[in-house]
Amino acid sequence: MGEWADLFMPRQLTALCEFSGLVDEARQQALADALAAGMDDDPTPLRDGGTGAHAYAEAVSVYLTFAVSKCADYWSSLCSWHVARTMIRSTFARQALPMNWDFAEANPLSDSTGNWLAMVDWTHKALAQTPAQGVGIAVQRDAAASGPSQVMVSCDPPYYDNIGYADLSDFFYVWLRQSLGGVFPDVCSTLLAPKAQELIAAPYRHEGDKGQAERFFEDGLVKVFTKLSEAQDQRFPMSVFYAFKQAETSGDGDTASTGWETFLEGLIGAGVQITGTWPVRTELANRMRSQASNALASSIVLVCRPRPDSAPLASRREFLDRLAVELPDALAHLRGVNIAPVDLAQAAIGPGMAIYSRYSRVIEADGTPMGVRDALAAINAVLDETLESSETDLDADTRWALTWYAQHGFDPGDYGQAEQLSKSRNTSVEGLVQAGIAESRAGKVRLLARHELDENWSPAGDDRLTAWEAVNHLAHALETGGEQPAAGLLHQLSGLDDAARDLAYRLHHISERNNRASDALAYNSLIQAWPELARLAHKPPTGQTDLGLT
């Protein structure tokens, strides 16, 4: 690849001004003529399976156009500066075209980020590894139309209008079409990427009608899963990756729906039964979407098979009883494998809907079928009950703090209300102040925030040790000092670490429900770091007998 790239270097300056001149037909023919002396001068083009000089020249032009396409990602006015790595961040640091107040500009002729030769080199590296093993064939088809049968299906469906795939493709397509229109005229026959059949809820494609766009998406989802279920080879399960964060979106009137509701209605409406679920860590922690936000870290993999014709009916009570028996064990397993708290509610949907989808229908008391929305509400209720039931194993001060936090956060509340709650939790306001977790002043009581807790706190010297203190000290240590000091603190909490970990899940759940984003992020980060903290806590650094905090 390198030697053929050199043939095009005299065109570099012109290419910087006009991408379309890089691999025009005249230069493809010039290269083909130069190669003809040493190769079969077969005029068959690349698109028709040619292997001669003409097709070879077109192949080289395709590779170089890949490099041009990559240049577009680094040469736009939407590039930003990556402060941590002191380099340019490409246009698509996320799946959107963001509004930037300022931009970083690459020098194509430099040896720094975004230079032309680097783009060629990256293309070369990718091509050198293709194919890594075996042979793959990619074919673009309408998933809602009839297609091949007896196939194994694994898919990641779209999420309403979260990502406009075809619209974003235009950013690159307009440059690719300029260079490759002569090589692949059929593929490049349209001015922009095709969009009419794309299964997303884009209102502008439906005369600005958001409701019509959503109906298009929802109806299409049912059609797609019906076709996929028919095409699926029955020897294998269908696997569906889904990572849509559950959030209500306003519909017509007073109704509201979630992405999960629509997705599951499409899946179950197609006659599919969920037989297994796994959370899979699929997202990078350093992606821009995750930075300083409570974004999902995992996708949920749903394993599906066609629902048997003999699937029984169930009453609402039967469904709720099975949920109460099976879902708590599934939640315990998920927490046992350290699923991120931000993903727990999503992951709970899997085993819950596995129960719901095993029945042909779940019948309400009035004889009507239970919808997916009501099933999700029941699953969330059992999730709440399961998390709340773990409070019975906590100390009295922590149980008071949990209830107070759910009502007030770290804001002050009336002393009388705090005193009344303390009696029901078998503690007292004075005792909470003595424990170092609350402040009582001028008829008001409030929980102390993480950064307000005693910096010199030591579990060994605390006569009134609480799980509340343990969690919030751990979260603060991780926020301010990183893993090493947090691990040192965890090392001292032997015997209380399991309760603290369960409490962190509960606190995250409360924070999410009350839109306390910074708190939710802190508790989520603590759980995600827990395996590494536990490893460090039990494995002192080389040359030390402990972590220096005992």
Side-chain angles (χ1 to χ4, degrees):
M1 171 89 185
E3 61 180 298
W4 295 118
D6 290 341
L7 292 175
F8 287 83
M9 288 305 100
R11 286 287 295 167
Q12 188 179 108
L13 292 176
T14 305
L16 301 183
C17 302
E18 183 180 351
F19 289 163
S20 61
L22 178 62
V23 287
D24 59 22
E25 292 187 30
R27 291 192 173 273
Q28 292 171 20
Q29 189 57 50
L31 178 57
D33 292 341
L35 292 170
M39 294 183 64
D40 177 18
D41 190 14
D42 180 2
T44 306
L46 183 65
R47 64 180 179 274
D48 294 333
T51 58
H54 183 81
Y56 192 91
E58 288 186 327
V60 172
S61 71
V62 170
Y63 297 158
L64 287 170
T65 304
F66 291 165
V68 170
S69 186
K70 191 164 181 63
C71 288
D73 195 20
Y74 279 90
W75 294 357
S76 85
S77 60
L78 295 179
C79 293
S80 55
W81 188 247
H82 196 307
V83 177
R85 300 179 62 184
T86 62
M87 59 183 287
I88 291 173
R89 182 186 283 116
S90 64
T91 302
F92 286 95
R94 63 183 70 184
Q95 293 162 318
L97 290 171
M99 181 72 73
N100 287 344
W101 293 109
D102 200 358
F103 65 93
E105 188 171 3
N107 182 351
L109 303 179
S110 71
D111 58 359
S112 187
T113 309
N115 74 82
W116 162 245
L117 289 179
M119 302 299 99
V120 173
D121 188 50
W122 275 112
T123 304
H124 169 230
K125 289 177 179 177
L127 292 170
Q129 301 298 320
T130 305
Q133 183 177 359
V135 177
I137 300 174
V139 179
Q140 183 179 358
R141 293 182 183 274
D142 182 353
S146 298
S149 60
Q150 298 301 298
V151 297
M152 187 171 69
V153 176
S154 181
C155 62
D156 181 2
Y159 314 134
Y160 275 86
D161 59 347
N162 270 24
I163 302 172
Y165 301 95
D167 288 321
L168 293 175
S169 296
D170 285 337
F171 182 89
F172 298 101
Y173 177 76
V174 293
W175 301 114
L176 291 167
R177 182 175 179 273
Q178 290 290 322
S179 296
L180 299 182
V183 181
F184 299 111
D186 294 338
V187 176
C188 302
S189 61
T190 57
L191 291 176
L192 297 173
K195 300 178 179 66
Q197 292 175 292
E198 183 182 23
L199 191 57
I200 63 170
Y204 85 89
R205 299 180 193 169
H206 300 272
E207 300 180 347
D209 189 331
K210 185 176 180 180
Q212 185 177 342
E214 290 180 352
R215 287 191 294 274
F216 168 80
F217 173 77
E218 293 162 5
D219 293 344
L221 209 58
V222 175
K223 292 177 182 177
V224 165
F225 281 120
T226 299
K227 291 295 182 183
L228 292 178
S229 180
E230 293 171 356
Q232 175 74 27
D233 188 325
Q234 301 305 308
R235 295 174 298 171
F236 308 104
M238 178 194 303
S239 57
V240 184
F241 292 74
Y242 207 66
F244 190 92
K245 189 173 182 179
Q246 193 173 192
E248 289 189 350
T249 57
S250 296
D252 297 331
D254 296 327
T255 63
S257 64
T258 69
W260 270 99
E261 178 186 341
T262 302
F263 162 63
L264 291 167
E265 283 179 341
L267 197 61
I268 294 171
V272 171
Q273 174 184 352
I274 299 169
T275 59
T277 59
W278 297 289
V280 177
R281 184 62 50 84
T282 55
E283 309 299 337
L284 291 173
N286 62 349
R287 63 191 172 123
M288 285 194 69
R289 175 68 184 89
S290 293
Q291 294 176 16
S293 71
N294 214 24
L296 292 178
S298 306
S299 295
I300 307 304
V301 183
L302 303 179
V303 184
C304 311
R305 290 185 182 275
R307 187 167 51 249
D309 294 336
S310 59
L313 291 170
S315 67
R316 177 185 179 88
R317 174 47 51 197
E318 288 174 313
F319 170 63
L320 295 179
D321 287 346
R322 293 317 306 167
L323 269 184
V325 170
E326 297 181 33
L327 191 55
D329 288 341
L331 293 173
H333 174 71
L334 290 170
R335 286 189 289 178
V337 297
N338 209 65
I339 187 172
V342 70
D343 297 336
L344 183 60
Q346 309 296 111
I349 293 173
M353 292 306 299
I355 299 170
Y356 175 83
S357 65
R358 74 175 56 148
Y359 303 111
S360 59
R361 281 182 299 168
V362 176
I363 306 300
E364 298 277 12
D366 61 0
T368 60
M370 174 188 278
V372 169
R373 178 178 301 183
D374 290 334
L376 288 173
I379 292 167
N380 285 330
V382 175
L383 172 63
D384 287 341
E385 292 170 5
T386 302
L387 292 175
E388 289 172 4
S389 67
S390 63
E391 295 179 17
T392 58
D393 297 328
L394 298 171
D395 57 272
D397 292 345
T398 296
R399 286 188 284 114
W400 179 92
L402 264 174
T403 305
W404 191 261
Y405 177 74
Q407 296 175 357
H408 301 282
F410 295 109
D411 296 329
D414 292 337
Y415 179 90
Q417 184 182 6
E419 178 66 16
Q420 184 177 12
L421 178 62
S422 69
K423 290 177 181 178
S424 67
R425 296 293 187 269
N426 196 30
T427 184
S428 67
V429 172
E430 291 74 15
L432 296 164
V433 173
Q434 179 185 344
I437 65 173
E439 176 188 76
S440 176
R441 181 182 300 173
K444 297 290 183 179
V445 175
R446 72 176 183 89
L447 282 167
L448 296 178
R450 294 183 298 280
H451 66 276
E452 296 177 303
L453 297 175
D454 183 4
E455 293 182 359
N456 299 316
W457 178 77
S458 170
D462 193 337
D463 296 331
R464 190 163 178 153
L465 184 62
T466 66
W468 179 269
E469 289 175 286
V471 166
N472 284 283
H473 274 292
L474 281 168
H476 184 59
L478 185 64
E479 283 178 310
T480 58
E483 292 178 344
Q484 198 65 49
L489 189 56
L490 184 61
H491 181 65
Q492 301 177 62
L493 290 169
S494 179
L496 194 60
D497 50 351
D498 288 341
R501 186 168 173 272
D502 289 344
L503 178 59
Y505 273 105
R506 179 77 177 119
L507 284 170
H508 177 272
H509 190 64
I510 294 173
S511 301
E512 279 266 275
R513 193 169 55 193
N514 290 280
N515 296 316
R516 297 168 189 155
S518 61
D519 292 343
L521 184 61
Y523 299 127
N524 185 64
S525 298
L526 177 60
I527 289 296
Q528 287 187 284
W530 201 278
E532 180 62 14
L533 299 184
R535 186 189 70 82
L536 293 172
H538 295 94
K539 184 179 179 182
T542 303
Q544 298 182 27
T545 56
D546 57 37
L547 292 168
L549 294 173
T550 56

